[in-house]
Structure formats: C-alpha cells, structure tokens
Amino acid sequence: MTDFRKYPPFEEWHDWTELDAKAWPDKVEKNYTLVPTTCFNCEAGCGLVTYFDRDTDEIVKIEGNPEHPASRGRNCAKGPATINQVYDPERILYPLKRVGERGSGDWERITWDQALDEIGARIRKAISEDRNNEIMYHVGRPGEEGYTDRVLKAWGVDGHNSHTNICSSNARIGYQSWMGHDRPSSDFANAKVIFLISAHLESGHYFNPHAQRIVEAKAAGAKVICVDPRLSNTGAKADFWLPTWPGTEPFLLLAIARLLIESETWNESFVKRWTNWETYLEQTRPDLPVEWESVRGAMLDEYAEYTPEAAEQKTGIDTDTIREIAELIGEHPTKFASHNWRAAGAGNMGGWQVARCLFFLNVLTGSVATKGGTAGNGMNKFKPAAPIGAPGITSWNELEWPKEFPLSYHEMSILLPHFLNEGRGKLDTYFSRVYNPIWTNPDGFTWMEALKDESKVECHVALTPTWSETSWFADYVLPMGVAAERHDIVSYETHAAKWISFRQSVFRRYAEIKGGTDGESADLGPDARSYDYNPGEVWEENEFWIDLSWRIDPDGSMGIRQWFESEEYPGKPVTIDEYYAKTFAENVPGLADAAAAAGQSPLEYMRDRSAFEVPADPYEPYERAVDPSAVEGCLKDESGVFRKPGTPGTWSGDLDDLDDLKLSPLGDGSPAIEIDGEIKEGFPTPSKKLELFSTTLAEWGWPEYATPKWIPSHVHWEDMDLAGNERILLPTFRIPTLIHTRSANSKWLNEISHRHPLWLHPEDAEMLEIEENGLVRITTRIGHFVIQAWRTEGIRPGVVAASHHMGRWRLEEDKARSWGAGKASITNDGTTWKLKREHGNEPYKSDDEDTERIWWKDTGVHQNATFCVQPDPISGMQCWHQRVRVTPAEPGDEYGDVVVDTAKSHEAYLDWMSNTRPSTNGLRRPFWYARPLKPAATAYRLPTD
Ligand code: SF4
C-alpha cells in the first residue's frame, strides 16, 4: 500500500529538491527551502510547512508539518489554503485611513509611522486623562497565548474583550463548575466509548487533531455516539446517531447517569474519593446522615424523574437505545471520552448544563484525566510565562463585565452596542482584531448603528488580514498577517500531551536562511520588522504593539515603555527574536535541552521545527503527591483542604479587607488536599474536588442549578406551535472547509463550499407547503430572512438548520471583493434595516486569472443579523437557536433578503436582561473564576451607590 505519510526529511528542509509535479511527464527538478509555521485558520493550531521556490522566492505550496505533535503532518483543507490567503488579489496590503464618512468606503493609504503616531497619541491622551478603560481590544480568534494581555497590562487597561460569548461560554461554565478547568481535553485515541455532542469528527473544536485520534480509536474498536439533530458526516460515521430535540440533551445524559447509578455500573470508588459528596448531602439532603452509604439513594431520588421512558418522551430517543448506550458506557470504566463545545451547548438557554451533565458521565465512570478519558484543558495546555512581565491591572471594565452577569464566561461582548446605547460608557479607541461582529454576532444592525456613531465609538481600528463587513466601518484598517506572516505562540489541549507551536513570518525566516552563510542564518538586526519581508506592508500584532507602546510613551515617563525595551539593544524596542529567544530558553521546560542536543539555540530550534512536545505525564494529575513543604503555613480545613493565608480560601469576607488578597489565575490559591492521609494536588475548585454540588452557583444566586440538571431551553419543543408553522432553527453548524470571515479570501475553499441551503425534513416541507429548492421566509423575533429549502431526511422533523459559515456581503462592486461575498445594498428607515443581495459571486479581472473562472454563484444569507441577543442569564452565552416561523416566500421576497427592526432588538435585549440575577454580596465575581486579564482583588468590589 502506498504510504501517503511521507515528508521531506527534516534535515533537508533548508535545501530540498523534488520533481515539479506540474512539469510531468518531464522530470524537472525544483529547489525549495521549507519553513514551518502554525495554522491560523481555526483554533486547533496545526503545523504547516511552507515551500519557498528558491528561484522566485515565492511560496508555491503549503503542507502539513510532521514535527507537530498534535497534527502530525496532517491538515484539513483550510491549512494548505493559507497560500490562497497570502496571495489573494483582494487582500489589504497597506495601512489605510478613512477619508469619507464612516462606512462610505473611501480610504487613503498611509504609512505605518502615521498610523502609530496618530493612534498612539489618542491612547496616550486617554490614559493621561484616566480614561484607560475607554480603550478596548476586541478579539475574534486569538490564536496566541497571552501576548496581548501583556500589552494591556502594561497600559493599565482592562480592555480585553473576546468573542467567547458567541462561541463557548456555556460549555466553559459546564466544565468549570465540575473541575475548575473550563474546557475538555479528551484522550480519544485510548477511549473505548466516545460521546460527541456535535459534528465533532468533521468540524468540531480542534477537529483535525481530534478526528485523526477518533478514527484511530474507532479502528481499534471504540464505539462512537453522536448527539445532533442533524445527520452530519459525524453522525453518519457514528455507531449511534441520536437526533435529540434541541435543548433536551441534558435530559438524555441524566437518564444515562441514572441508569449507571441504578445498575451500579458507576465507578463508585472514584466518585467517593474525588467528588464533594459530603457537601452534596449536606446541601440537598439534610434529612440523611452525611455518610457515603446515603449518596446512591440521594442521587436516585434526585434523578427519579429521569427514567429512560421519560427521556424518550422528552428527547425523542427510544428507551432501548438509551439503555443500550448506558450499558455500553458502564462496561468501560475510565475509558469514556466525551466532548461538547458549541452545538447544543451554544444553542440553548441553560445549554451550559449540556457540558455539566456530559461530564457527569465522565465522573460517574471515573474517566477523568485517565487514559481514554477526558481531562481539563489546564492539564494538557502549556502556556509559557511571558519573559517580560508587566504589573497587573487594578480597574474593572463594566462594558465587558457588567454587574448583571457575575458568573459570565467571559466578557459580555454581544451586549456592547446595547450598553453603548444605554450610555453605560463610550469607547475612545476600539480595536477589532480579526473579528467581524457586524456579520458574526447576533443583532448585526445594532452593531452597525453603534459603529457608525462617532459619539459612541470615537475611533475604530480594524486589525485584520481581510476586508470584512466590520472593517468597512473602521477609521483605520491595518493589515495583519495570516499564518505565514506573524509571530505567536500557540498551545491547545488537543490530546493527552502538552505542546507548544510557534507561528512565524515565514518570509522573514526565509530571508534569514537565504541570507545566511556557512549554514548559519543571517541576523536581520534590531530594526527589522516583519512588514519588511511580508507581502506589501502586511504586519503582525506583536511588533505593532511594541512600536505602538513606544509611541504612547515615547520618553518612558508613563511607565509603559519599560515593558517594551530591549536589553540586547538598549534604547531600542525589544525585538521579536529577543522576546521569543528568552521565552523558549527560560520558560519552556525541556526545550533548551532538546535544542542543545540538536546543536541549536532554542529560538533556532523553534524557527526550524515550529513545534515542541513539552515533557509531561498527562494522566490523573489530581492524584499527584504534593510535597509537604508546599503546604507549610497553610491552614487545613475540616475537609482536608490546605488554605493559604492571604488567598480567597482564607479571606474573611470583609469587603474592606481586599488590599493584600492574592488571586490565582485559576482556583482560590489552595495548594492541596489531604485524602486518606496523603497530600494530593486535587482540582482547582474551592473544594479541591470535583463539584457534584457547586457551592458557587448556590451562593451566587442559582441554588436550583447547583447540581447537574436539565433546564428547558428557550426553544423547547413542547412550548412551540409545531402544529402550525413554528420551528426550531439551528444556525450554528460549521462547514468543515470554511472559516467565519477569512475563508472568503481563499479561492479553493470557496470553490469547494458555496451553498447555503436550509435543511428541512420532507414531512415539514409537505406540511408547510415548501417545495424542493423553494424560497422560504424565516421570521425571527426581530425580522426575517429569505433562504432556499433543501428537503432532507437528515434532520429531525420540527427542526430546520442553516450553517453559520455563509452569507458574506460587500457594499461596493469593485471594493472588498472576495471569492465568497455577494454584492448587497443596505437601506435604513428609522429602526428598520433592509439588506438586499444584488448579486452573488461573479467572475472579474484581477491579478489572479482564476477570478475570471469563478463559476459558483451562491454566497448565502446573512441570517445572524435577524437574531436578537439572547444571553444565558448565568454563563452569558448567546443562545443561538431560534424560535422561528417557516413559511413560503412572500411576493417580492428574494433570495438573501434580510429585514430587521432594531427597536425590536432593544425590546428583546431588555427581556433577556430581566432574567439575570446581579450579585448581592458586594463582589463582582467569584475570585476563583478564571478571567482573561484578571485584575487585583480590590477591583472586584462593587460600587456601593
Ligand atoms: S484543523 Fe484545519 S484550519 Fe484548523 S488548524 Fe488544523 S489545518 Fe488549520
């Protein structure tokens, strides 16, 4: 059999010769230099290798990096398609400044110097006037490990805003409420039962590294269970496809949990050792003695209603299948690997209980960070400390962390325009960074209104590799690199191991290699910038932030510049080489030794390989023995937890006693727990155990959800008019070959994927009188959109679905073109907005002759604009699923029409805000909760007015 896993030997990467495939049948040799980097097209951070033609100095192809421990040389289609993004004829190559009205689309080219001077002066003024928190950095896909946090700390700005609450807030709080860690890290490769709540195998989080391991496990006999109302390719490959009613997944999971407990196929010894069952009994069953023998009965009582028969009625999955799956899971203790990230978690109010109930099965089977189980992200992810620190921040930004959501995971970014409308604050300088909220977020027209209003957003700087709907409404559009043009460190919990990967400007690295002598790379010197080597003047954020910080504080008097100065070249900004050389040499265990063994510096080692597996034992870290010296001076409480003085674990509760309180990035600072006479690491939760009963949820206003429970969704089927034309819309699924915004600038990806059908079951189609390929009007609470139907039995009747990866548009015929954005017009009358698609993709002339060969038309429908904000009152997650009316298109309706009334958006916002329960204990948020850019404890005190 042909081995397709052959890669050029690493030793020959600097000088590699192979036959030119395009010259076949002639045998023509081509000489390349291979430079590795890290993919930036989704969160998995797979390794890539770029092939530089040494004659033309151009990249001719991009393939997988076999040195990368997670992706192991393999990629999905989006990785190699990075080459399309690099050479896209419509990419932004130079810094631009708006010259007309905001949104008019008129720009002038400026220099980086001008951009830095002008933006730096604004920020300097804001900080000088104590308006630090009017500076906001709003990140889409971060794809890096905390570099920007360092910058914001140095500026003293609590301005980190993320896309998390349109993505994963629900999953995070579900996992975090068990184990402190807010993401799952599944050891699929060694599992016997794999339980996926999503189309995970083909398009989930970290899906290429995960997919290859799921397939390996399946080949070794593991059973795959896929819960998804839609028959995705994952469902088709699974041993069990369970098309539950949306939002009823926790009910199904609790029915399985109950069967495990009832049949005594649970891992009793694990649950007894590692859950806070004593607290569970004390809080839920004060009538019972606090002894282990009470637990089984208490849990069977608590989950009495979750019978297989009730689960069949509620979820639509038959009783026999539920029993069969429970038996299968019970047969494989410690080997149950599960995963939920978006999907049901992101779709439903209360969707955070999907992750909480799913991980309950891991707890019951003792499959927590075991070989073949599911760990927490912090157990496998490796985040090197920044070698040049900066002091922590001491303020709190209420535009991101409002009092109504004390438990949100993380910033309430979907509500930002509503907060601006309410006058809760304004923004002096708003950086959108690889983020497109007008298109990606719900309620896009409310975003557009806010971004057009210069009294609310005084200056908008878009840091972006591509044109987007949002960058169109910026004042500065600054071109930032794609995977081949920027420096970042990346690490994710893709499997049972720790690794880091280095993203680098391969153009700059190629210049070093080509300019070197005697096998040594050339030194580009302290004044080198990546834009000197990248296409046009495309830059990267690392150097941009360094140089911008110098412009903010040119003489160092503000105390900012010191964090960005070079030790190697005094009086100059720190160089990228210096920063990463220090990181790799000092803060990555094992890397200096590996580099020395290879005869290289750690930086050269990483520039040549781009990835490194950090030596670690990934399994059962909570069982690790802790040296008694680590708990010296601690107080041991009655449950055996060692509490450190000066941390939240020993805090008096006095709000005036916060000045010296030390906060940890995660957990409450308690270093260990004594179990059966041994001091163990435990979990980063207040109890140091897995929290069957979450005291935090109970104490912060949600006692009814302190244990795993089902919360009826806002789109629960029993509450809907299914006999009429009401249906549940699933708008969240991914297309495996597309990214949100950036894939529109990849010709290959758009040629592969360019259809946007509404999935509709034939029974529904008949009932609703919708023809195959017929136009459908989907009416939401705030407006409607018009899409084309696709009759398929691959979806549960009562549910319709459309991917969130389609529907891109542009406003000018000849500007911001791409391979996937249609030409549209927008009209506005009061609070009513109409987006009309004028045409889809069409061929056009450009520097790339392939633009004249565009044969596909469909660009899809911008459905997200018709969704109001629906924040889960606990996690803050946008509950994406929609209660909609599905009707045949009306006279005058055209494909792609979008109509929205932002007054209705505001009403909906107020309704959802009324579900919240603001903090009543004087604090903004639990100290032990993770938070990007965690401030000092004093900032947690709520104002008393
Ligand atoms: S899964 Fe695909 S898009 Fe994501 S990092 Fe890997 S190659 Fe890139």
Side-chain angles (χ1 to χ4, degrees), residues 491-609:
S491 174
Y492 294 111
E493 60 286 359
T494 52
H495 61 293
K498 289 186 177 178
W499 54 268
I500 61 162
S501 191
F502 190 35
R503 187 175 294 125
Q504 61 181 333
S505 163
V506 295
F507 292 96
R508 182 172 171 156
R509 176 61 180 160
Y510 175 66
E512 285 179 348
I513 295 170
K514 203 168 180 192
T517 51
D518 301 330
E520 296 286 320
S521 306
D523 182 353
L524 302 179
D527 298 322
R529 295 289 182 275
S530 294
Y531 59 63
D532 294 328
Y533 305 94
N534 287 338
E537 290 180 10
V538 169
W539 207 2
E540 59 171 281
E541 283 113 35
N542 283 190
E543 285 183 340
F544 171 75
W545 295 129
I546 293 168
D547 284 359
L548 182 61
S549 298
W550 275 67
R551 306 298 168 109
I552 294 169
D553 185 16
D555 57 7
S557 60
M558 297 170 78
I560 291 174
R561 205 185 84 172
Q562 60 180 311
W563 308 111
F564 303 93
E565 289 179 352
S566 171
E567 280 179 14
E568 210 172 319
Y569 305 100
K572 283 187 177 283
V574 62
T575 68
I576 283 296
D577 272 2
E578 187 180 350
Y579 182 85
Y580 286 107
K582 244 171 137 39
T583 306
F584 295 142
E586 297 171 8
N587 296 341
V588 183
L591 178 51
D593 291 341
Q600 291 185 299
S601 70
L603 177 64
E604 281 284 306
Y605 183 94
M606 288 302 284
R607 286 215 180 275
D608 273 353
R609 291 164 187 77

Side-chain angles (χ1 to χ4, degrees), residues 461-498:
V461 182
L463 308 175
T464 176
T466 60
W467 283 109
S468 73
E469 288 76 354
T470 300
S471 61
W472 199 251
F473 293 91
D475 301 305
Y476 296 88
V477 175
L478 304 183
M480 293 293 159
V482 296
E485 300 152 350
R486 50 186 298 120
H487 290 92
D488 300 297
I489 288 179
V490 174
S491 174
Y492 294 111
E493 60 286 359
T494 52
H495 61 293
K498 289 186 177 178

